[in-house]
Amino acid sequence: MKKLASTLPNMVLSLGVITILSAVLLAWVDNVTAGPIALAAQQKKISAIQSVAPVFDNNPLDDSWEWSPSQSARPYSVYPAFKDGKLVGAAVEAYSLNGFSGEVRVMYGFGASGDVTGYEVLSHAETPGLGARMNEWFRSDEGNRSVIGHNPGSENMTVVKDGGIIDAITAATISSRAFLESARGAYDAFVAYKEYKNE
């Protein structure tokens, strides 16, 4: 096979063929992996709902409801938990854009009265060893760290440094504020859902 001369048109042709083949390959890989990635994300969400919400017998994903604190804000997702037809609480997927490294996304569980029953950090980009400790820190019985059992509607769920009742993660006050901001937003979404359903 004769080697192509190293001319500008031949280089452009070669580069064009390589680009087209790469684009086709990337599209195929994206198509093949999109389903499993979406399934894994949904399974993570289901698992988080089950671990934070009170015991339920409905399908919270089917009964989900969205609420936004303002017209320009992204919505929070409320996954209501019913037992024998009665609302016993909910899991709420909430977020804060004010983390040290950007968005913090958390699934909170609430009992019917609004007390926090649990939480799972879904995603964040906080500093390892500092803000990244939020998944353990805010459930610890040590000091005033735990948010479990507290009610954002009747208690000042901000960090102690801001006059609140929750100890911030050592050397990660910004991450702690973001975590607690998302907790308060989640509570507001749950209250809005209860008002919407007249519960």
Side-chain angles (χ1 to χ4, degrees):
M1 183 171 158
K2 186 178 176 186
K3 184 177 177 184
L4 287 174
S6 186
T7 63
L8 183 59
N10 286 341
M11 285 190 284
V12 170
L13 178 65
S14 296
L15 187 57
V17 169
I18 290 169
T19 303
I20 291 169
L21 287 174
S22 297
V24 168
L25 182 61
L26 284 172
W28 177 78
V29 169
D30 182 60
N31 190 40
V32 168
T33 59
I37 289 171
L39 187 62
Q42 183 173 8
Q43 196 54 49
K44 182 176 182 179
K45 189 176 287 190
I46 291 168
S47 192
I49 292 168
Q50 290 172 334
S51 71
V52 303
V55 177
F56 53 85
D57 57 15
N58 66 312
N59 183 340
L61 286 176
D62 288 346
D63 296 330
S64 67
W65 183 75
E66 291 192 339
W67 174 81
S68 184
S70 69
Q71 297 249 348
S72 59
R74 288 185 319 198
Y76 290 36
S77 297
V78 179
Y79 302 98
F82 289 93
K83 183 77 174 166
D84 299 324
K86 181 179 179 187
L87 182 71
V88 293
V92 180
E93 185 176 351
Y95 64 89
S96 169
L97 300 177
N98 297 316
F100 184 75
S101 298
E103 184 183 75
V104 172
R105 185 167 284 279
V106 186
M107 184 76 76
Y108 293 95
F110 295 98
S113 65
D115 293 348
V116 177
T117 55
Y119 72 88
E120 288 293 330
V121 177
L122 300 176
S123 65
H124 68 83
E126 303 303 278
T127 309
L130 295 174
R133 296 170 54 204
M134 69 181 76
N135 205 35
E136 297 83 31
W137 183 275
F138 294 108
R139 67 178 88 244
S140 169
D141 291 333
E142 195 173 324
N144 295 312
R145 295 179 182 179
S146 181
V147 297
I148 311 298
H150 289 287
N151 188 311
S154 59
E155 299 174 84
N156 185 359
M157 283 184 60
T158 58
V159 296
V160 171
K161 189 181 228 179
D162 297 337
I165 61 169
I166 306 295
D167 290 338
I169 301 169
T170 306
T173 304
I174 294 172
S175 301
S176 301
R177 285 177 176 141
F179 176 88
L180 294 169
E181 176 190 7
S182 65
R184 295 189 304 274
Y187 174 81
D188 291 344
F190 178 52
V191 169
Y193 174 79
K194 288 181 15 174
E195 289 171 356
Y196 168 75
K197 295 294 282 185
N198 295 315
E199 292 286 344

